[in-house]
Amino acid sequence: MANWLALLLVLVLVFQSVNAQEAPPPPGRPGFVEVFLPQILACLADPDSCTSLSYKYRNLIGTIPTEIGLLTKLTEFLLNGNAMHGTLPTELGLLTDLKRLLLQQNQLVGTIPTELGQATSLTWCSLTDNRLTGPVPTEIARLPLTMFFLENNMLSGNLSFVSMFQRATLETFALGRNLLVGTIPADITRQTRLIHLGLEQNPYMHGTIPSELGLLTNLKSLWLNKMQLVGTIPTELGQATSLTWCSLTDNRLTGPVPTEIARLPLTMFFLENNMLSGNLSFVSMFQRATLETFALGRNLLVGTIPADIAQQTRLIGLGFDQNPYMHGTIPSELGLLTNLKSLWLNKMQLVGTIPTELG
């Protein structure tokens, strides 16, 4: 009976795919192939032997058929970089052996189905660069995810589901460029294996930066730019001892940059367009010459440009622009920065001459 059912499904899909292939390509999409259905015919004929469907960047158009749920032996389903549309079928939850689901860079719409939380082997899920809406379902927290990419959609809701994760498996948690609301949950620090945390460009997220982020000692990149964060940069962030890339640009942060930041092996440090105050004395406390970009423009910093910045010999970009209360002269030591490509010191209160060493 099962074989006859599989044969019937194959015949139906063959009929659909032949008709689709006879249709002209959609206007404005020359070279795109209609549709995805032919690619799963062989798998449906022998579903027990089909463990991988990989059709990345094939110019495919169409919807993901609900019959995908019959391929219960699938361990990877890779359709990224196509022009697939429609919704995510709830039948994806039937794929309990699935480990990698890569559907980024398509035109998928609708919500993330709650049933996806039943794909209990899923460790890598990327739905970035689609048009998905609605909240992230709490059922996702059941999964043993290590890589979770949801950037550049239209997802809404808050991050309360983070507290429901049953395992500390996450290494990448990327939800930037959405319409999320609420605050950054301190519970994210239970994910002690995190290497990348990105919540940037969620313009309705607010609140403070949790001091608990300092517990993430494996964290290498932290993207919290273009939100509505307030308060100070927590001193505890200096305990995130692997942090190399930190962007807090375009928020409403206040207070001084804590000296504890100087403990970190930062290469990229972006703090522009906040309301940070205090001076740059912490610069002399950096323990490593790792900085490549140091951008603190458009703040309320005071004092002078520290000559000690020249100890950061790998600097490529240096910006203190539009800090109207910074004054003094341009340090001649800047001439030691032989890798420096961009220097932004405009709209300050600098006096004196341009040092010859800068040439």
Side-chain angles (χ1 to χ4, degrees):
M1 183 69 180
N3 289 336
W4 280 105
L5 178 60
L7 179 59
L8 178 60
L9 284 169
V10 169
L11 290 173
V12 169
L13 291 174
V14 167
F15 175 78
Q16 291 176 337
S17 65
V18 167
N19 285 341
Q21 286 176 322
E22 291 175 350
R29 291 199 174 275
F32 277 75
V33 178
E34 182 84 33
V35 288
F36 173 60
L37 288 175
Q39 280 74 24
I40 66 167
L41 293 179
C43 275
L44 283 172
D46 188 9
D48 287 343
S49 66
C50 187
T51 59
S52 174
L53 272 177
S54 180
Y55 294 96
K56 301 181 289 184
Y57 302 100
R58 297 289 187 89
N59 290 342
L60 295 175
I61 291 176
T63 59
I64 301 173
T66 58
E67 289 83 4
I68 194 71
L70 297 173
L71 305 180
T72 55
K73 300 300 182 181
L74 271 185
T75 60
E76 61 175 15
F77 182 31
L78 317 179
L79 267 184
N80 45 304
N82 287 292
M84 303 298 293
H85 56 271
T87 59
L88 293 169
T90 60
E91 287 79 3
L92 288 172
L94 299 174
L95 305 180
T96 54
D97 288 341
L98 192 67
K99 293 182 178 180
R100 290 207 301 161
L101 176 65
L102 306 186
L103 302 178
Q104 71 268 25
Q105 296 174 310
N106 280 288
Q107 297 177 24
L108 301 173
V109 297
T111 60
I112 300 171
T114 59
E115 291 83 356
L116 190 59
Q118 298 169 16
T120 51
S121 298
L122 194 61
T123 60
W124 191 317
C125 179
S126 181
L127 304 176
T128 291
D129 293 320
N130 281 290
R131 301 173 184 174
L132 300 173
T133 54
V136 179
T138 57
E139 289 79 1
I140 291 295
R142 302 171 183 167
L143 303 178
L145 291 167
T146 59
M147 305 289 182
F148 194 30
F149 300 90
L150 293 178
E151 303 115 313
N152 202 25
N153 282 285
M154 294 180 284
L155 297 170
S156 56
N158 59 38
L159 296 179
S160 59
F161 71 93
V162 166
S163 65
M164 302 178 191
F165 273 107
Q166 299 173 10
R167 304 172 179 89
T169 54
L170 278 172
E171 297 177 7
T172 295
F173 189 60
L175 283 88
R177 289 167 282 151
N178 278 290
L179 300 173
L180 300 175
V181 300
T183 60
I184 302 170
D187 287 331
I188 192 63
T189 59
R190 295 178 185 173
Q191 298 297 322
T192 53
R193 295 175 58 182
L194 265 181
I195 296 171
H196 171 75
L197 174 60
L199 301 174
E200 76 281 1
Q201 298 186 50
N202 277 286
Y204 305 116
M205 287 193 70
H206 57 273
T208 59
I209 300 173
S211 60
E212 291 86 351
L213 292 182
L215 300 174
L216 298 176
T217 55
N218 293 306
L219 194 67
K220 293 185 177 180
S221 60
L222 177 64
W223 292 79
L224 301 179
N225 49 293
K226 293 191 177 181
M227 301 167 72
Q228 295 189 37
L229 300 178
V230 297
T232 60
I233 300 171
T235 59
E236 293 84 355
L237 194 59
Q239 299 168 15
T241 51
S242 298
L243 194 61
T244 60
W245 195 310
C246 180
S247 180
L248 306 177
T249 292
D250 293 316
N251 282 291
R252 301 174 184 176
L253 300 173
T254 55
V257 179
T259 58
E260 289 79 2
I261 291 295
R263 302 172 183 167
L264 303 178
L266 290 166
T267 59
M268 305 289 181
F269 194 28
F270 300 92
L271 293 178
E272 304 113 313
N273 201 26
N274 282 285
M275 295 181 283
L276 297 170
S277 56
N279 59 38
L280 297 177
S281 59
F282 71 93
V283 167
S284 64
M285 303 178 191
F286 274 108
Q287 299 173 10
R288 304 171 179 90
T290 54
L291 278 172
E292 296 177 7
T293 298
F294 191 50
L296 284 86
R298 288 167 283 151
N299 278 290
L300 301 173
L301 300 175
V302 300
T304 60
I305 301 171
D308 288 332
I309 193 63
Q311 295 175 7
Q312 297 295 322
T313 53
R314 295 175 58 182
L315 267 176
I316 297 171
L318 177 61
F320 298 132
D321 50 297
Q322 300 185 52
N323 277 285
Y325 305 117
M326 287 190 69
H327 58 273
T329 60
I330 300 174
S332 60
E333 289 84 353
L334 291 183
L336 300 174
L337 298 174
T338 55
N339 293 308
L340 196 66
K341 293 184 178 180
S342 61
L343 176 63
W344 294 83
L345 303 178
N346 50 296
K347 294 190 179 181
M348 302 167 70
Q349 295 189 38
L350 300 179
V351 298
T353 60
I354 299 174
T356 58
E357 293 83 353
L358 202 58

